[in-house]
């Protein structure tokens, strides 16, 4: 990845989660010095940490996120596989019940990564630390922004609380990737800027997770089992995913305060309450390992920095600090990757011009292009529930009717299923599921649903068997030259 034009001076990245790590990797191609600031002091090796409370729970890496990680870390997935991570076909190896039907299992060619979040993040962190122009400062927290004393409206650094006391660090660019807990609205207000407008959907979601040893007689009918709820009548979900060490990562979700208990008898009973018995039947034969973890997410929230009439130069905001998604849909890491990739594109354009002026404005105006589709998909699903609190735009009811029929059709129609997967993995926009080859069968299914019960139109009961003959695991890594 050769950088055109000149390199810039120094950059500071706030937050060492995936958005921050990817931002630091991008900045390393454009700046002489990059400092990544992280509040946590991490253990050597993959381990859950306080700053990522969602870390112990199941994570999904969409194929778009996989592509971006492979672009910036060409040997990452090869090494993850050596450490026990596994690539699967994200359709053929997945048993998925959603909207009351079992989705088709077919060879999609779209790889899915199975491993724990700490293993993935630790491997990315190791590669960041190995870059000679990147310094990782742990045990430090950012306390505020420093502005140009000449009144030019440019951020020139940050105030940092370190173990030695408060310090001021100069920077030509500050990137806020500090996640849901970002204090950027307060920091902007403190230096004379307005707080951004916030778009919010309140869901009161919880993740409750426990590692398990699979039953010894498990026949490997799937490598991941997803039982999503059927809105608006049910809002409990359950997931099992193979992860490194031959273990199962089991996560139970509940909307609107219906959170799974953190003692095992209650955890198991909650699994039995799901609309399908499959997960419970497997779980009652498995052996729990270690404690049960719980993480609660009140809402998904988009801070519209692009709408602010004034915004300082020298500042970029991305990842959950800009838009925090409902984690149930697995969009967060991939959208953070798209944000980092956009930052790379903007910096290359700036390098050709030979200056950083205009970067902050250009980036914040273009970031909504990255966020809009996954936000629409995620919040559209959430707002199927009357209990969800959020703005319901005109025409949402019609969109919901179409989504419901589309999801039901993925149980029987290979083409509809394929186009759904394209939009799910952010390979395509809404046009993928609105084109005539999808819309006509979906609308036809909708008409038939007025005349026949769902169980006569789709597979509601029988979990699809594994594909035969068995396929080799996908080999998704496409080596790049960065």
């Amino acid at each position: 990845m050769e950088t055109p034009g000149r390199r810039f001076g120094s950059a500071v990245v706030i937050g060492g989660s995936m958005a921050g790590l990817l931002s630091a990797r991008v900045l390393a191609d454009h700046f002489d010095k990059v400092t990544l600031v992280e509040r946590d002091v991490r253990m050597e090796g993959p381990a859950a940490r306080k700053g990522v409370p969602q870390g112990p729970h199941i994570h999904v890496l969409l194929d778009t996120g996989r592509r971006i990680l492979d672009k910036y870390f060409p040997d990452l997935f090869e090494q993850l596989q050596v450490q026990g991570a596994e690539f699967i076909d994200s359709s053929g190896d997945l048993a998925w019940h959603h909207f009351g039907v079992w989705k088709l299992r077919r060879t999609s060619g779209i790889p899915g990564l199975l491993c724990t979040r700490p293993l993935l993040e630790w491997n990315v962190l190791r590669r960041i630390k190995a870059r000679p122009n990147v310094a990782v400062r742990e045990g430090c927290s950012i306390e505020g922004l420093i502005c140009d004393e000449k009144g030019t409206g440019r951020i020139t650094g940050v105030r940092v609380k370190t173990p030695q006391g408060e310090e001021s660090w100069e920077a030509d660019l500050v990137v806020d990737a500090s996640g849901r807990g970002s204090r950027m609205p307060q920091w902007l207000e403190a230096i004379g800027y307005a707080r951004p407008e916030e778009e919010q959907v309140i869901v009161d979601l919880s993740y409750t997770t426990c590692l398990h040893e699979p039953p010894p007689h498990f026949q490997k009918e799937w490598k991941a089992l997803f039982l999503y709820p059927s809105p608006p009548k049910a809002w409990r979900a359950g997931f099992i995913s193979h992860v490194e060490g031959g273990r199962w990562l089991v996560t139970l979700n509940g909307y609107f305060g219906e959170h799974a208990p953190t003692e095992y008898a209650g955890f198991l009973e909650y699994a039995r309450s799901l609309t399908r018995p499959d997960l419970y039947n497997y779980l009652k034969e498995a052996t729990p390992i270690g404690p049960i973890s719980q993480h609660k997410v009140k809402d998904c929230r988009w801070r519209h920095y692009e709408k602010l009439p004034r915004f300082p130069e020298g500042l970029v905001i991305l990842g959950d600090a800009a838009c925090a998604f409902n984690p149930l849909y697995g969009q967060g890491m991939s959208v953070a990757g798209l944000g980092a990739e956009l930052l790379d594109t903007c910096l290359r354009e700036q390098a050709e011009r030979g200056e950083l002026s205009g970067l902050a404005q250009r980036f914040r105006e273009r970031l909504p292009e990255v966020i809009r589709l996954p936000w629409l998909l995620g919040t559209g699903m959430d707002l199927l529930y009357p209990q969800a609190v959020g703005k319901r735009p005109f025409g949402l009811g019609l969109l919901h009717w179409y989504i419901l029929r589309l999801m039901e059709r993925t149980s029987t129609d290979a083409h509809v299923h394929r186009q759904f997967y394209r939009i799910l993995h952010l390979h395509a926009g809404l046009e993928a599921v609105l084109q005539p080859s999808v819309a006509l069968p979906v609308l036809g299914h909708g008409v038939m649903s007025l005349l026949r019960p769902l169980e006569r139109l789709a597979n509601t009961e029988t979990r699809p068997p594994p594909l035969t003959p068995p396929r080799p695991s996908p080999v998704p890594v496409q080596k790049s030259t960065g």
Side-chain angles (χ1 to χ4, degrees):
M1 294 180 181
E2 294 298 327
T3 304
R6 59 162 289 184
R7 289 170 67 92
F8 302 108
S10 64
V12 169
V13 179
I14 307 171
S17 192
M18 290 300 296
L21 294 170
L22 278 161
S23 298
R25 170 62 188 88
V26 163
L27 295 173
D29 285 342
H30 299 275
F31 287 81
D32 294 323
K33 180 183 178 183
V34 179
T35 304
L36 178 68
V37 184
E38 170 53 49
R39 187 186 300 268
D40 291 339
V41 177
R42 307 190 212 215
M43 299 173 58
E44 183 56 38
R49 59 189 180 89
K50 183 179 179 181
V52 185
Q54 71 273 29
H57 307 281
I58 195 167
H59 279 71
V60 173
L61 180 66
L62 302 180
D63 190 51
T64 289
R66 191 271 321 158
R67 173 190 63 79
I68 293 168
L69 282 168
D70 188 39
K71 173 181 176 179
Y72 292 111
F73 306 100
D75 67 335
L76 172 64
F77 294 122
E78 180 181 341
Q79 291 302 310
L80 281 169
Q81 287 172 298
V82 170
Q83 296 167 29
E86 184 177 5
F87 273 105
I88 64 169
D89 187 283
S90 60
S91 172
D93 294 316
L94 170 64
W96 185 358
H97 194 269
H98 194 195
F99 284 89
V101 303
W102 287 104
K103 295 190 187 301
L104 284 173
R105 293 181 69 176
R106 50 177 293 275
T107 303
S108 68
I110 299 176
L113 176 67
L114 299 186
C115 70
T116 60
R117 164 70 179 263
L119 181 68
L120 175 61
E121 187 174 296
W122 178 66
N123 274 274
V124 174
L125 175 64
R126 288 172 58 208
R127 285 155 177 78
I128 292 298
K129 286 184 172 181
R131 301 195 71 85
N133 61 334
V134 177
V136 178
R137 294 289 303 272
E138 297 181 340
C140 301
S141 61
I142 303 299
E143 299 299 308
L145 305 171
I146 300 173
C147 294
D148 182 2
E149 294 180 356
K150 297 179 182 178
T152 61
R154 172 179 287 277
I155 302 302
T156 59
V158 289
R159 293 185 290 105
V160 191
K161 187 177 182 180
T162 74
Q164 292 75 39
E166 188 165 302
E167 302 175 6
S168 296
W169 295 354
E170 294 183 356
D172 297 290
L173 180 67
V174 174
V175 176
D176 180 13
S178 58
R180 284 179 177 268
S182 169
R183 292 186 286 162
M184 188 56 67
Q186 297 94 310
W187 293 341
L188 286 175
E189 196 171 42
I191 58 175
Y193 291 86
R195 298 171 71 105
E197 171 190 328
E198 292 192 4
E199 190 173 353
Q200 184 185 45
V201 176
I202 300 175
V203 292
D204 193 10
L205 177 74
S206 71
Y207 268 44
T208 310
T209 296
C210 184
L211 281 165
H212 288 72
E213 290 282 355
H217 56 272
F218 177 61
Q219 297 300 308
K220 299 184 179 178
E221 303 99 305
W222 41 260
K223 295 183 179 178
L225 172 68
F226 289 178
L227 301 182
Y228 273 76
S230 300
K233 297 179 181 178
W235 46 85
R236 293 183 176 188
F239 309 90
I240 302 177
S241 172
H242 285 256
V243 294
E244 65 273 11
R247 301 167 297 173
W248 281 355
L249 189 64
V250 182
T251 292
L252 303 178
N253 293 92
Y255 279 99
F256 315 120
E258 290 197 5
H259 308 326
T262 54
E263 45 83 23
Y264 194 73
F267 183 87
L268 194 60
E269 188 61 28
Y270 192 95
R272 186 159 66 170
S273 75
L274 301 179
T275 53
R276 290 288 313 171
D278 304 73
L279 186 144
Y280 171 75
N281 289 338
Y282 285 110
L283 202 58
K284 67 183 181 181
E285 305 289 334
T287 304
I289 310 169
I292 296 176
S293 302
Q294 189 168 81
H295 173 54
K296 296 179 181 179
V297 178
K298 176 186 176 184
D299 60 7
C300 35
R301 180 181 62 243
W302 185 356
R303 288 173 169 165
H304 288 281
Y305 289 102
E306 78 280 2
K307 295 183 179 180
L308 288 176
R310 294 173 56 246
F311 193 80
E313 280 287 354
L315 177 64
V316 161
I317 306 163
L318 52 72
D320 282 3
C323 185
F325 296 90
N326 182 338
L328 191 65
Y329 308 118
Q331 299 167 315
M333 289 193 292
S334 296
V335 177
L338 286 169
E341 190 175 48
L342 173 63
L343 178 58
D344 193 3
T345 299
C346 291
L347 282 167
R348 289 171 185 275
E349 294 169 359
Q350 297 294 144
E352 290 176 350
R353 298 173 56 185
E355 62 177 0
L356 278 174
S357 295
L359 170 68
Q361 184 70 12
R362 181 173 290 109
F363 181 85
R364 75 180 178 115
E365 288 177 350
R366 289 165 65 175
L367 186 63
E369 299 169 15
V370 167
I371 294 172
R372 193 169 289 114
L373 176 62
W375 176 262
L376 174 63
L377 295 175
T379 58
M381 294 288 192
D382 291 336
L383 291 171
L384 278 163
Y385 293 103
Q387 303 96 318
V389 179
K391 181 180 178 181
R392 287 172 164 80
F394 177 78
L396 185 64
L398 182 61
L399 177 62
H400 281 163
W401 182 90
Y402 188 83
I403 289 173
L404 286 166
R405 305 293 83 80
L406 173 76
M407 294 299 186
E408 292 168 1
R409 189 73 182 182
T410 61
S411 176
T412 58
D413 190 316
H415 179 66
V416 171
H417 181 273
R418 185 180 304 112
Q419 297 307 312
F420 164 71
Y421 259 68
R422 290 184 66 217
I423 192 172
L424 173 70
H425 287 273
L426 306 179
H427 290 174
L430 285 175
E431 71 280 356
V433 294
L434 295 176
Q435 59 183 290
S437 63
V438 174
L440 291 176
V442 168
L443 293 174
H445 174 92
V447 172
M448 293 304 296
S449 68
L450 301 175
L451 307 173
R452 297 181 183 177
L454 181 59
E455 55 267 24
R456 293 184 60 189
L457 297 174
N459 176 14
T460 60
E461 297 299 321
T462 306
R463 188 176 67 250
L467 299 186
T468 55
R471 306 151 332 289
S473 295
V475 182
V477 180
Q478 301 172 358
K479 295 296 181 184
S480 52
T481 57

